[in-house]
Amino acid sequence: MAATSVPQLVAYAQGVGYASYRGLATAGPSLFAWGLSTGSPFMSCGVTSITALMAKADLDGESYVAEYGEEEYVKLVAAYSIWVGLCSAALGVLGFGKLAGMVPSNVRKGFKWGCAVGVVASAMPNGLFSGGSKELKKIVASSAAGNIVSFVKSNAPAATGAVSVTNLLYAITHPWEWGTAAAPLFIFCTIFVMKGKNYLPKSLPPGTEVIIATALATLLSMSFDYPGNVVGEIPQLDSDAGIKLGPIRIPVEFMNPKELLAAPVVERFGGSYVTLIITASLFAAVNFLSIMGIASGFEAENGVAWSAPRELVAQGVACGVAGLTGSAPVSGSMSRSLVSRMAGTTSQMSCMFTALLWIYMMPYMTVMSPTPQAALAAVIMSAVIKSVVNPKDLMAMKGTDFIVGWGTGIGTAVTSPTIGFGIGLLLVAVTSLFKPKQKTD
């Protein structure tokens, strides 16, 4: 699991909006904390495409990085992770875990599709353009679509998704602007990751196709002076840094508590602690839907019982540790959990062992410095593009379910995940007024 997850860790860091190497540098501690607190022998956690998207959208990451730089943004994300962790733990203690199962399926399905659109909009620029999202933004700004972007930013600043979707539509419809090296590599890697497993030996673990695609792209970059964006330099931890337990040193770097306290998280939510707590709680609640889905699947297929309050508290613990190490909030990862089950794990020790592997192997990860970001974007794209293009669950809906499902999905795509989820719940309340009441004898 440690090996197959590495490309995902690097790719999802791009989704958050900070340097790719940070995905590797911060993944271990939160997974170790998850292993200590979860009750599932199979479930794994980490930054996912959805948590990356939500964190970036809630904090308006792009504008913050543009104004204050990446280092300050990392502090902001880390502080927000701690808030999400605190809210997760509080919801667990208050018994929210049982209520999470009551979220209507039409809202969950629409929300999932809307988030998937956001993930595509975030990954596509890094795949198709040599200079990534920065290059695309410059091109869009000088075109007619730039007027739409300017209008949205001026009149509906909360609709950050609308800007991303506009950029996405422009990118798709202007192939002559694509990078001559980045775009073909991106398309090839996406197809290989999606279809390659059909041609590989069945004995290989899930995710092998991801490793192969990433390795081939890295070799290509090293051999032919690849002109597009790459992962870049991976800083090494100071030899004296980390935690010392007797003769053992764990090479983990924690954030400065004073800097985390000073991070302007509240200011990003209009200076209101109430708004911050509500948003972080919604983040925690939406996050838990992924964990609930994974745990319920393992219960049905493997008879592994689970406790909603415990897993929600475990989410809080993992997010808190993620924040202390400079990571975005984490959640249950379906792909990593399935690999863990396939490997025959029988306890939470698998998570902790994997976490230690990531931590101690970090000094050797410089091998990924020349990895093209187009290949990493393909890893993300391959996981969501099919559900975006062909949303079978939404297409099958009828009546008020159709309105709620698509309304939630579109709302999530053009605003933000948090606002979109709220739109979905509002639509449920409104449409329920028009449903015919069932007759009772």
Side-chain angles (χ1 to χ4, degrees):
M1 187 178 78
T4 57
S5 300
V6 166
Q8 288 184 340
L9 301 178
V10 178
Y12 294 148
Q14 291 182 354
V16 180
Y18 46 51
S20 302
Y21 77 87
R22 295 186 187 276
L24 286 170
T26 61
S30 59
L31 182 60
F32 192 90
W34 172 263
L36 290 174
S37 51
T38 183
S40 173
F42 302 140
M43 202 176 338
S44 179
C45 86
V47 176
T48 66
S49 57
I50 292 180
T51 61
L53 172 68
M54 290 178 66
K56 186 177 181 180
D58 284 353
L59 299 171
D60 193 10
E62 289 190 7
S63 66
Y64 194 87
V65 171
E67 186 172 357
Y68 300 104
E70 184 189 325
E71 291 296 329
E72 293 301 314
Y73 178 57
V74 170
K75 297 172 188 175
L76 182 72
V77 170
Y80 187 50
S81 292
I82 294 175
W83 275 99
V84 172
L86 291 172
C87 290
S88 297
L91 290 174
V93 172
L94 295 173
F96 173 81
K98 296 179 180 180
L99 294 176
M102 299 173 63
V103 176
S105 62
N106 48 14
V107 173
R108 292 202 301 268
K109 292 173 181 177
F111 175 80
K112 184 178 180 180
W113 181 82
C115 284
V117 172
V119 171
V120 169
S122 177
M124 188 76 80
N126 289 321
L128 295 179
F129 296 87
S130 298
S133 58
K134 289 184 179 180
E135 179 182 346
L136 175 59
K137 288 175 186 176
K138 290 180 180 179
I139 295 173
V140 171
S142 61
S143 69
N147 296 327
I148 299 175
V149 171
S150 298
F151 178 83
V152 172
K153 287 183 176 181
S154 301
N155 297 278
T160 53
V163 175
S164 298
V165 170
T166 301
N167 290 340
L168 171 64
L169 293 174
Y170 183 93
I172 294 172
T173 56
H174 292 73
W176 54 89
E177 303 274 12
W178 298 352
T180 54
L185 179 64
F186 169 68
I187 294 170
F188 168 79
C189 288
T190 300
I191 295 173
F192 183 84
V193 173
M194 294 178 68
K195 303 293 184 180
K197 57 187 174 183
N198 298 328
Y199 304 97
L200 296 174
K202 302 300 181 183
S203 58
L204 295 176
T208 301
E209 64 279 1
V210 174
I211 295 178
I212 293 174
T214 307
L216 289 175
T218 302
L219 290 173
L220 175 71
S221 175
M222 294 171 63
S223 303
F224 296 100
D225 193 22
Y226 177 73
N229 286 348
V230 296
V231 170
E233 181 183 358
I234 299 178
Q236 296 298 304
L237 191 66
D238 188 277
S239 58
D240 296 325
I243 303 172
K244 292 198 71 174
L245 300 175
I248 301 174
R249 185 179 70 85
I250 303 175
V252 174
E253 188 172 14
F254 287 95
M255 302 287 290
N256 187 324
K258 292 183 179 180
E259 293 180 343
L260 290 177
L261 290 172
V265 185
V266 182
E267 287 76 3
R268 301 304 288 176
F269 296 91
S272 170
Y273 278 98
V274 173
T275 304
L276 170 59
I277 292 172
I278 290 174
T279 306
S281 297
L282 280 173
F283 193 121
V286 170
N287 231 8
F288 185 66
L289 294 178
S290 297
I291 292 175
M292 185 176 68
I294 298 169
S296 298
F298 288 150
E299 183 175 37
E301 297 171 13
N302 303 96
V304 179
W306 66 290
S307 165
R310 176 173 180 173
E311 299 307 324
L312 194 45
V313 171
Q315 173 181 290
V317 172
C319 284
V321 173
L324 292 174
T325 54
S327 169
V330 296
S331 181
S333 169
M334 174 64 81
S335 60
R336 288 167 235 172
S337 299
L338 291 175
V339 171
S340 180
R341 182 179 67 174
M342 190 212 67
T345 57
T346 58
S347 74
Q348 298 91 321
M349 282 297 296
S350 64
C351 281
M352 292 184 277
F353 183 72
T354 300
L356 290 175
L357 277 177
W358 286 341
I359 291 170
Y360 281 101
M361 291 300 291
M362 185 62 197
Y364 306 99
M365 287 298 103
T366 52
V367 68
M368 292 197 69
S369 292
T371 301
Q373 291 189 9
L376 300 176
V379 173
I380 300 174
M381 187 64 62
S382 63
V384 296
I385 188 62
K386 189 175 180 180
S387 62
V388 170
V389 176
N390 186 24
K392 294 180 180 179
D393 290 339
L394 290 180
M395 296 299 292
M397 292 181 181
K398 298 180 181 179
T400 55
D401 284 341
F402 183 90
I403 296 172
V404 172
W406 279 104
T408 303
I410 294 172
T412 301
V414 301
T415 57
S416 70
T418 305
I419 295 175
F421 191 73
I423 290 173
L425 296 179
L426 180 62
L427 287 173
V428 169
V430 172
T431 55
S432 65
L433 300 175
F434 299 95
K435 285 186 177 181
K437 295 182 179 180
Q438 296 180 348
K439 295 182 179 179
T440 56
D441 295 333

